[in-house]
């Protein structure tokens, strides 16, 4: 790529080692299956993997830290041991400490450090990347906290406060990735607003990650006769969100179906590259076969 070519959005593949995640709960609870699933997503082009041992779906109840750790540790060891870039989806500093010891490179804290006040200090000590999501409470209460006047302004302001907490604990700006936390204390309308104005989170040059994959608002968008589309039928819409976000220059998308989003990101990168004036994608010359290229 030339100097003006945009950096491609990264694709993070989801490995939920849980019995109860909303779209794939129970599928990857066996560590060997979870590791194989991670390998498969890497083969499909995932840049990194996000391993989680606690479901955060609406209404989910929390699991003990020991259970969460038992679920994720062998999977992190296995995948990181094979050289994969592994992030761990946890709100607990104690779990984060163990998985970082086991080779994880990033902590994905959907509570943005609110669930465990030790998290910022740990991230500062370890110097790893941290994904800070917008969050207003655990799964049992988040539904009733989905009230906003100006959702984009409020999410930006509340995230800025979390950034200050991490910086105050000694975390460097370069370690931080911001996430609007789609679906976490947000209804469909709020999610669409945040996607429409994702640049609001990119103003201070933080990397931004978006997690729309298979979420309820996509099922509602695709509903037939008022019945939301099932989670596994939301992958096309997820890839469309990935293309749009990649076109806007977000750093990463977090998805269940890696292949679709890898292609979507390729399309967006080709368009951005063409716009940057450096020519098209890989097929910019005429093939001479009569095919349109
Ligand atoms: N969504 C879920 C779980 N973890 N992490 C980040 N950073 N952003 C998200 O939007 C997010 C997340 C819920 O989805 P899942 O249960 O399918 O993993």
């Amino acid at each position: 790529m030339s100097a003006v070519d945009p950096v491609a959005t990264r694709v993070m593949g989801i490995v939920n080692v849980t019995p109860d995640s909303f779209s794939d709960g129970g599928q990857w609870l066996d560590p060997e299956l979870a590791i194989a699933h991670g390998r498969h997503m890497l083969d499909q082009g995932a840049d990194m993997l996000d391993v989680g041992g606690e479901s955060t779906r609406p209404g989910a109840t929390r699991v003990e830290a020991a259970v969460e750790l038992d679920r994720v540790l062998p999977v992190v060891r296995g995948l990181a041991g094979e050289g994969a870039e592994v992030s761990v989806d946890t709100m607990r500093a104690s779990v984060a400490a163990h998985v970082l010891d086991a080779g994880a490179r990033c902590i994905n804290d959907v509570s943005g450090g609110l669930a465990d006040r030790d998290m910022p200090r740990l991230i500062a000590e370890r110097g790893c990347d941290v994904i800070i999501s917008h969050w207003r409470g655990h799964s049992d209460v988040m539904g009733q906290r989905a009230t906003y006047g100006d959702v984009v302004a409020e999410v930006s302001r509340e995230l800025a406060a979390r950034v200050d907490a991490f910086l105050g604990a000694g975390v460097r700006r370069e370690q931080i990735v911001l996430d609007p936390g789609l679906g976490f204390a947000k209804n469909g309308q709020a999610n669409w607003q945040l996607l429409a104005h994702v640049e609001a989170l990119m103003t201070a040059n933080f990397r931004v990650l978006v997690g729309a994959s298979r979420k309820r608002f996509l099922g509602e968008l695709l509903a037939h006769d008022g019945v939301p589309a099932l989670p596994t039928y939301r992958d096309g819409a997820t890839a469309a969100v990935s293309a749009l976000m990649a076109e806007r220059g977000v750093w990463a998308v977090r998805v269940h179906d890696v292949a679709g989003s890898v292609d979507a990101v390729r399309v967006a990168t080709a368009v951005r590259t063409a716009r940057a004036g450096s020519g098209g994608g890989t097929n910019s010359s005429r093939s001479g076969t009569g095919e349109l290229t």
Side-chain angles (χ1 to χ4, degrees):
M1 285 200 178
S2 76
V4 289
D5 282 332
V7 176
T9 294
R10 310 188 89 210
V11 175
M12 171 188 263
I14 302 171
V15 186
N16 280 328
V17 196
T18 57
D20 55 347
S21 288
F22 75 95
S23 84
D24 55 357
Q27 257 182 293
W28 320 112
L29 202 51
D30 175 329
E32 286 309 316
L33 288 182
I35 291 168
H37 182 50
R39 278 189 205 120
H40 179 62
M41 290 194 287
L42 292 169
D43 287 345
Q44 290 180 314
D47 298 289
M48 53 190 166
L49 301 171
D50 189 40
V51 180
E54 182 178 41
S55 171
T56 47
R57 79 188 160 125
T61 48
R62 298 212 66 188
V63 295
E64 295 294 322
V67 173
E68 186 189 350
L69 193 58
D70 271 359
R71 290 178 183 168
V72 295
L73 206 49
V75 181
V76 172
R77 278 203 189 108
L79 290 168
E82 293 175 12
E85 186 176 329
V86 175
S87 156
V88 174
D89 190 339
T90 184
M91 293 183 262
R92 290 184 168 110
S94 61
V95 172
H98 282 100
V99 295
L100 290 168
D101 289 343
R105 295 191 220 167
C106 174
I107 297 301
N108 172 23
D109 181 353
V110 297
S111 82
L114 283 170
D116 184 340
R117 302 291 174 152
D118 286 340
M119 192 65 96
R121 186 188 43 78
L122 178 83
I123 301 296
E125 276 170 19
R126 300 303 189 94
C128 62
D129 277 0
V130 61
I131 302 168
I132 301 176
S133 289
H134 177 263
W135 188 83
R136 282 185 171 179
H138 287 288
S139 301
D140 53 341
V141 295
M142 67 182 178
Q144 71 226 41
R145 298 189 184 164
T147 51
Y148 300 89
D150 179 339
V151 65
V152 177
E154 285 169 56
V155 166
S156 301
R157 198 166 55 235
E158 289 168 33
L159 266 180
R162 301 315 307 147
V163 167
D164 285 347
F166 277 81
L167 295 177
V171 174
R172 287 171 289 110
R173 296 177 70 82
E174 311 84 75
Q175 290 173 251
I176 295 175
V177 178
L178 297 183
D179 182 333
L182 301 180
F184 291 94
K186 284 156 208 97
N187 60 20
Q189 200 189 4
N191 293 334
W192 290 118
Q193 282 294 322
L194 288 162
L195 288 174
H197 299 285
V198 70
E199 287 84 1
L201 302 187
M202 295 158 79
T203 48
N205 273 335
F206 285 110
R207 291 174 287 169
V208 169
L209 177 143
V210 171
S213 189
R214 295 183 179 174
K215 285 190 176 165
R216 184 189 297 175
F217 74 114
L218 298 180
E220 289 165 356
L221 180 78
L222 305 176
H224 279 292
D225 298 330
V227 181
L230 291 172
T232 46
Y233 292 117
R234 302 173 191 169
D235 286 335
T238 300
V241 173
S242 294
L244 289 166
M245 291 299 103
E247 222 277 334
R248 308 272 278 283
V250 308
W251 176 71
V253 288
R254 178 183 179 277
V255 297
H256 301 86
D257 172 45
V258 163
S261 282
V262 165
D263 284 356
V265 166
R266 280 193 187 138
V267 169
T269 307
V271 171
R272 294 180 73 208
T273 303
R275 188 185 300 124
S278 54
T282 50
N283 262 346
S284 57
S285 63
R286 298 206 173 222
S287 67
T289 60
E291 283 181 287
L292 292 175
T293 59

